[in-house]
Amino acid sequence: MTSNPPDAQVRAVIPEPSARLRNARKILDAAWDAGAVSAAELMAATGLTRVTVLNQARELADAGWLREAQDSRALGQYSTGRPALRYELETDTRAVAGIDAGQHRISAVLADPHGTVLARAQADIHPEAPAAQRVQVVAQLLRELGGSQASRTLDALVVGVPAPVDSHGFSPSDANGFWGRMNPDWQGQLGEFTGLIQVENDANLAARAELGRGAEGSFAALLVGERLGAGTVVDGQLLRGAHGMAGEMRFLTHVQGVGSAAGLGPVARQLANDALAAGRSSSLAGLEQRGTQQIFAAAHAHDELACEILEALGLRLARIAAVIAGFAGLETIIVSGAMAATLAPVIQIAQRELEREPAPVRLSASSLGAEAVVHGALCSALDLMRATAPNLPTRKAP
C-alpha cells in the first residue's frame, strides 16, 4: 500500500476552508453511494451549476477519488446520441484498515471505500508482551494486508484497544501499566502507513459495529470474555466521558455479588477449579481444560456442578446488566465478543432475573462474535475516510 504525501495527510485532518473543497465534498458525497452518476444527477443532488460540477468532478478524478464510469452502450444498454459522461467512486486504488489490538490476539482487516473486505490477517500475542512487541506485530499485519494491494493508498486506519481512550487517542495511566501497553501511542508508531489514524476503545468499536447493523436508541455493547467493557450509546450518541472512562468496568469491584471486572470466562474457570479443589464430584474433574466451552457442554449433559456455574454466571450477568442499564436508562444490552454465540443459556438466566425489575433491560447476543471489534474499527475507518475526503492537489498559481 502507498501512503498519502505529508501535505495531503495534514489536509485530511484539517480540511482546507475553501468553497472549492466544500463543493468537491458535496459532489463526492453524492457519488459515494450512488454508483455511476451523470453531471445532471450530481447537479440535482448538490444544487451546483453544471460548470462547477464538471470542473470539480474532473479534479476529483485527477486526485483519485472519482473515475469515469462505463457509458450505457458499453454496458449493453440501448441509447441514441452521445452518451452522457458519468462518474463513480474510485474503489480500486484506495483502502481503509481496521485493527482489533486485543490482549491475546490482534486482528486486522483491509477494505475498499464501499467496505468490501480485501484482505484479513491475525496473530496471537502473549498477554504480557511489551508495547514494542505489540507495535511490531501490528506493523507486520499491516504489511501482510498491503502485500497484495500495493497500488492502494491507505486513507484511514482505526485501532481498537482494551483501554479507555480520550478524544485525542491517548489512554490515562494506571497502576500496573496495562493501559499504556495496550495503547503505546499508535498514532505515532504507525505513521509510516497513513497520516490518518484513530485510536478507540474496543467496546466503543463493538457499539459502533452494532450501530452499523441497525441498533437504535439507548444500548450498550458489553464485551464479555477475559475482561468486561461496555460501549454505551444513549439516544444514538456514543458516550466517551472524561479521559475516555465511560464504559470502564472497574466500578464493579464495589457491586455486591460481582466484586471485580473479570469476564465470564475466568469467573467460570475459577468457580469450577474452586469447587473441584473442595472435593465436588463432576465430569469436569477429568478434563485437562476447564474453559467455558467444556463447562457449557457439561451443563448441557446435566452435570450438577456445571449447571450451578451457569446459574452463577447468569446471576452475575444480570447484576452487571442492571447496574449498567440503570444509570444510563438503557433499553438493550448486546452481549458481544467471541463468547457471545455460546452464552445463550447464561443470557436466558440473566433475563429471567432482570424481568423482576420494573422496565427491565433487554439482553441479546451479537451475531458478530469475535469480529465485533475489528468490524467496528473498519466502520469507523470508513467514517473517518468519508469525513475527511477529498484530498485535492493544491492549485498552482498561473
Side-chain angles (χ1 to χ4, degrees), residues 1-5 8 12 28 32 59-67 89-97 110-116 118 149-156 194 196 382 385-386 388-393:
M1 291 177 292
T2 59
S3 62
N4 291 320
L28 186 58
W32 204 289
E59 283 200 22
L60 286 166
D62 292 340
W65 286 102
L66 293 181
R67 64 189 177 199
L89 185 67
E90 173 57 71
T91 58
D92 294 337
T93 62
R94 295 189 172 277
V96 297
L110 188 76
D112 73 10
H114 284 313
T116 302
L118 304 168
Q149 307 290 333
S151 63
R152 291 182 182 269
T153 295
L154 184 61
D155 286 292
T194 181
L196 195 55
L382 289 166
M385 179 193 200
R386 191 159 180 171
T388 56
N391 305 325
L392 294 177

Side-chain angles (χ1 to χ4, degrees), residues 211-284:
L211 283 169
R213 293 166 63 84
E216 297 177 337
S218 300
F219 69 91
L222 180 65
L223 279 180
V224 177
E226 293 300 302
R227 51 179 287 278
L228 295 174
T232 307
V233 175
V234 175
D235 297 332
Q237 299 296 316
L238 181 68
L239 299 184
R240 183 178 301 279
H243 311 294
M245 293 291 289
E248 276 300 308
M249 298 285 104
R250 295 191 178 193
F251 70 88
L252 291 175
T253 57
H254 304 290
V255 177
Q256 185 176 5
V258 179
S260 76
L264 297 187
V267 169
R269 293 193 298 270
Q270 189 65 50
L271 289 172
N273 291 336
D274 288 349
L276 293 172
R280 284 290 301 272
S281 175
S282 170
S283 61
L284 297 172

Side-chain angles (χ1 to χ4, degrees), residues 74-212:
L75 294 171
Q77 301 174 5
Y78 174 79
S79 63
T80 60
R82 182 179 179 181
L85 180 62
R86 303 174 72 82
Y87 287 97
E88 62 186 358
L89 185 67
E90 173 57 71
T91 58
D92 294 337
T93 62
R94 295 189 172 277
V96 297
I99 295 177
D100 174 9
Q103 184 179 0
H104 299 83
R105 176 174 295 179
I106 299 177
S107 303
V109 176
L110 188 76
D112 73 10
H114 284 313
T116 302
V117 173
L118 304 168
R120 296 177 181 271
Q122 68 176 26
D124 292 331
I125 188 167
H126 193 280
E128 301 298 327
Q133 183 178 344
R134 298 180 65 80
V135 171
Q136 291 174 357
V137 171
V138 169
Q140 180 57 38
L141 291 179
L142 284 171
R143 293 187 186 100
E144 290 180 21
L145 291 181
S148 61
Q149 307 290 333
S151 63
R152 291 182 182 269
T153 295
L154 184 61
D155 286 292
L157 168 63
V158 173
V159 183
V161 298
V165 179
D166 65 20
S167 58
H168 300 291
F170 298 105
S171 297
S173 300
D174 63 332
N176 58 16
F178 176 79
W179 290 342
R181 284 192 296 110
M182 296 300 107
N183 184 15
D185 183 21
W186 289 114
Q187 292 165 320
Q189 298 288 351
L190 301 177
E192 66 178 280
F193 296 99
T194 181
L196 195 55
I197 301 171
Q198 178 178 307
V199 185
E200 182 58 276
N201 171 259
D202 54 0
N204 285 352
L205 291 178
R208 172 61 186 86
E210 298 301 336
L211 283 169

